[in-house]
Each structure stands twice: as structure tokens, then as C-alpha cells.
Amino acid sequence: MTQVLCGQVLAFEGSPFDGDPTEAARLHEAVALDGGKITGVGTRAQMLELAPDAQVTDYGNRLIMAGFVDAHVHYPQTAIIASWGKRLLDWLNSYTFPEEMKFGDPDYAGMIAERYLDLVLANGTTSVCSYCTVHAQSVDAFMSAAQGRGMRAVAGKSTMNRNAPEGLCDTVASAQADNQALIDRWHGVDRLSYAITPRFSPTSTPEQLEMLGALWAANPTCLMQTHLSEQTDEVAWVKSLFPEARDYLDTYEAYGLLGPGAVYGHAIYLEPRERDRLKEVDASLVHCPTSNTFIGSGLFDMAGLMAEGQRIGLATDTGGGSSFSMLRTMAAAYEIGQLKGTPLHAAQLLWLATVGSAQSLRMDDKIGNLAPGMEADIVVLDLHATPAIAQRAERASDLWEAVFPTIMMGDDRSVHAVWVNGALATG
Ligand code: GUN
Ligand code: ZN
């Protein structure tokens, strides 16, 4: 049966990074959904003409938009989010690796996967691209949990064979067998897809990176996700481990791990050659602003990279990031823009959290916007969710001013309802 949701329905018609940001989106009165797809966007009367016996939900003046897309997360780090006082390499060794060891237990992996997806849905995020642990069963746990909720999700086993505890290392041969079995089991099943996931070049030998490059060539519809140039001492370590590499990106490029469909998290300390190559091949970069401040990594050059025409998404980087909320993540992206002297407009922030992230995952024909034929993943935001937000929003003279206090001060309290695959998931 057709559902018609009424409110302030926001749909992007272009990129707010090209020209006047306020011209990139349009407000409609209603959106119609049927069979997991958006069937129309327009006036309430138009939607009811399309489907006269539709079930109507009136969300009043709430903002109805595409569900948030979180382009880089580590679901296994859910329980260690907000761990104090370490920078990247110490943070991995002190908090992350000990926690990831627990995911050899499928019951624990399943419990955390369900907890993680409860948290992200409560925050209005309807799709994520997650790293799992080295254990194949951590992928099974995540994929099963996402499948059970009808979510579009991407995940892959973090492949490592050096510079990590023995219990988190595989080998070239076992990683090849595990990855291929996981691709065969999950890639393209329902709304799920697989990402080949070398954790980052320091934790794989050249032989393992080469095997993963060949595996990607043999499975080209998979994404390939990894980390790139997150902290200065990490970049120096990579250079010492790969003395013949021209730069950090070259440690991937040399082994077939650069191409369209490559998704690089962080990408803060890029050299000119790396920027040129990333643009040339149209690879994706993912900005993780709460992580970059929380772990003390640095300031992503959004304005410069966007001006070059790079493909960029936005992400929490749970649990290096300090929040499950894409609203909190947009706020951090705004603050980093301010520190760089280039504040982001509310339209740009909302676009990054939806269309931009979907583009970075090459899924913008399916998710991240409201238009006929797109999949029906929707968040309904209350723009007056707390007294502090409400008193500021009351002063607003247009939509962008009305939504900006929610971007800066909102969290799961601002999420009124979430629809996944055309069905009400929360609210
Ligand atoms: N680099 C390699 N592994 C990780 C991780 O788990 N989190 C972050 N933020 N960076 C990484
Ligand atoms: Zn990460």
C-alpha cells in the first residue's frame, strides 16, 4: 500500500558546492512510497492523485529528508567509543585491538551488531559502510543484523597480517579465502554489498596488499575501503615501512588498490601527487570530523578538495569518532570549516550527510535523496526538539536558518521517525 508522508520534504536537485547553496534543494509538501521505493515527490494533492487510497502520515512542520548515509564506521568499536587520551597508533593498541579480539565470538559480534544498528537508526542513519574485524563471523553478524532490518549496508573484513596482535592477524592465503567466501555469501544479497577492506597499509605486508588488489580486480563491483593519511606519525611510519613508495597513496596504488570504487577514510595530509591521482581516477574521500578532533588527527581540507572536484562523503568513524549521530558529525564538519576559514552552509552539510556520502559509496542512484525510483530510506527531523534549539529556530527567516540550530545542537532527540526500505523503523 502506498504511504504518503506530509511535512517539509527536502529534495536536492543539484550540488550546494556548485553555485548558490540555497538553490540546490527544493521543499515539497509530500513524498509517496510504495514497495520500498519513492514513487513521487510534490504537493499533497499530487501525491493523493497518484494513490487515492494511500495511508497518509502528517508530520506537520517537521523536516522529511533522505536518511543519513554514514560512509565510514567501525561497528566493532561501538563499546569503546569515547575512550580517553590516546592518539591514533596508541589508541589502536590500547583500546581498539583488545576490543576487536572479542569478535571471534559470534554471539558477542551479533550482540554488538544489533546494538550498533539500534543506535544508528535512532540517530536517523539508514545506511552505513562498516569495517568489521579480521574474523569472518564479525561480517556475518553485521550483514545478518542489517539484512534483518532491510537496510542498505556495506561491510568488509578488516584484513591484517602484521603490526597487530596475533589474534587479529590472518595470512595472505586465509585472507584470500575468507574474503572470497564472504563476497560469495553477501555481495549483492538483498541490499547488502561487500567492501574489500585492508585496514591500512601498515597492517598488511606488500604480499597481502597485492593479493587484495588482485581480489578486487576479480570482484570489481565491490568497493575497496581503507585509511589514508590520518595522522602525521602514521604517515611517517608508512614511509618507513614502504621506503620505495612515492607517498602514502602509492602504497595502495602500487598493489592495485586505487581506482573508482576506492573509498579512503580521513585523507588529511595529502601531497599534491596524491590529490591529482585521486581526482584523476575519481576515487572517494571520506571526511570524519568528530574522529579527527577526538583522536587529534587534524583538519580536512574540504573547501580545497571540493574545489578540485574530488568525490567526498561524510562519516562518524565510530568509535574513533565520538558520536553515532550524523547531526553531531555535521556540526564538527562546520567547526573544522570555521577553523580553516571556510564555514560550510547548512545545505552543504545536509548534502554531505546524504547525497555526498551516497556518491562516495557510488550508491547515489539508490540512496541519499528523495526522488521517484530512489529507495525509500527517510528521516523525519523535529527542528524544535529541545528548548535551546526551539528558541533559536523560532527566530529563523528561512529553512536553512531553521535547520542550522538542529545541525549544531541536535542529536537523537531531533530524530522523530525513521523509515527504512519503505517501512517505519522507529518513531
Ligand atoms: N587506521 C587504522 N585503523 C583505524 C581505525 O580503526 N580507526 C581510525 N580512526 N583509523 C584507523
Ligand atoms: Zn576508520
Side-chain angles (χ1 to χ4, degrees):
M1 195 224 276
T2 299
Q3 302 280 344
V4 172
L5 316 185
C6 301
Q8 300 195 75
V9 175
L10 181 81
F12 282 101
E13 296 184 345
S15 168
F17 288 93
D18 298 336
D20 179 354
T22 63
E23 297 287 307
R26 182 173 297 191
L27 275 185
H28 303 270
E29 286 174 14
V31 55
L33 345 169
D34 197 5
K37 294 273 171 65
I38 311 267
T39 50
V41 178
T43 65
R44 186 184 182 122
Q46 282 169 334
M47 295 305 103
L48 287 174
E49 202 176 312
L50 214 69
D53 32 341
Q55 186 171 336
V56 178
T57 308
D58 196 336
Y59 286 117
N61 66 353
R62 294 189 180 89
L63 186 69
I64 300 174
M65 58 180 289
F68 301 132
V69 179
D70 192 342
H72 178 126
V73 312
H74 299 253
Y75 95 83
Q77 297 170 12
T78 297
I80 55 128
I81 194 167
S83 291
W84 186 84
K86 305 283 184 191
R87 291 171 62 84
L88 177 60
L89 302 176
D90 285 344
W91 175 84
L92 285 172
N93 287 315
S94 305
Y95 300 122
T96 308
F97 290 160
E99 176 65 14
E100 292 195 6
M101 298 274 242
K102 298 183 186 167
F103 286 71
D105 173 359
D107 292 340
Y108 187 75
M111 186 266 288
I112 296 289
E114 298 291 350
R115 180 192 298 179
Y116 171 75
L117 292 177
D118 282 345
L119 286 164
V120 298
L121 283 171
N123 278 287
T125 298
T126 48
S127 283
V128 302
C129 181
S130 187
Y131 290 61
C132 302
T133 67
V134 71
H135 313 96
Q137 56 268 40
S138 76
V139 181
D140 292 335
F142 179 82
M143 293 293 203
S144 302
Q147 186 178 39
R149 293 159 195 255
M151 292 174 72
R152 180 161 288 287
V154 189
K157 159 195 145 81
S158 287
T159 303
M160 299 196 273
N161 70 344
R162 65 168 170 173
N163 294 320
E166 206 181 305
L168 288 182
C169 283
D170 49 21
T171 64
V172 175
S174 73
Q176 179 172 31
D178 281 354
N179 272 293
Q180 190 61 60
L182 287 165
I183 291 168
D184 295 344
R185 195 173 316 144
W186 294 112
H187 187 58
V189 173
D190 296 339
R191 302 181 74 201
L192 307 172
S193 56
Y194 194 77
I196 293 166
T197 308
R199 182 178 208 115
F200 64 156
S201 52
T203 48
S204 286
T205 58
E207 294 71 29
Q208 189 171 66
L209 294 173
E210 190 168 13
M211 178 280 290
L212 292 172
L215 191 74
W216 192 25
N219 297 275
T221 59
C222 290
L223 294 175
M224 189 293 299
Q225 62 176 347
T226 189
H227 296 88
L228 178 66
S229 293
E230 182 176 358
Q231 288 205 347
T232 49
D233 48 358
E234 173 214 16
V235 175
W237 189 32
V238 168
K239 286 193 170 156
S240 74
L241 289 169
F242 296 85
E244 63 302 330
R246 289 169 289 181
D247 43 46
Y248 196 155
L249 185 66
D250 201 29
T251 66
Y252 298 124
E253 186 173 359
Y255 303 109
L257 295 168
L258 171 68
V263 185
Y264 300 103
H266 303 282
I268 298 171
Y269 300 100
L270 297 176
E271 295 178 19
R273 190 201 80 87
E274 296 176 291
R275 295 170 79 126
D276 290 348
R277 283 298 286 146
L278 288 161
K279 168 74 184 109
E280 203 167 53
V281 306
D282 195 20
S284 302
L285 307 179
V286 183
H287 181 28
C288 306
T290 72
S291 170
N292 296 342
T293 53
F294 183 75
I295 314 188
S297 301
L299 307 181
F300 183 82
D301 181 18
M302 179 66 78
L305 291 161
M306 271 295 181
E308 285 168 21
Q310 304 278 3
R311 186 183 280 265
I312 303 175
L314 186 68
T316 59
D317 189 27
T318 302
S322 54
S323 176
F324 297 94
S325 165
M326 289 297 280
L327 291 169
R328 296 286 309 114
T329 303
M330 288 179 242
Y334 177 79
E335 289 165 350
I336 288 177
Q338 282 286 55
L339 289 170
K340 299 279 285 179
T342 48
L344 291 163
H345 190 273
Q348 295 173 327
L349 293 164
L350 293 176
W351 183 91
L352 281 167
T354 53
V355 183
S357 281
Q359 285 184 353
S360 77
L361 303 176
R362 294 180 185 267
M363 294 180 169
D364 50 306
D365 58 334
K366 299 184 182 66
I367 57 171
N369 206 355
L370 302 184
M374 300 284 284
E375 295 173 356
D377 293 339
I378 291 173
V379 62
V380 182
L381 294 175
D382 180 351
L383 302 184
H384 305 83
T386 70
I389 294 172
Q391 60 89 37
R392 176 63 187 90
E394 266 156 30
R395 290 272 187 98
S397 56
D398 66 13
L399 166 74
W400 304 115
E401 238 191 282
V403 77
F404 192 59
T406 290
I407 291 175
M408 293 310 300
M409 296 190 279
D411 51 32
D412 52 341
R413 291 169 294 178
S414 302
V415 175
H416 180 79
V418 179
W419 292 71
V420 172
N421 206 22
L424 187 64
T426 69

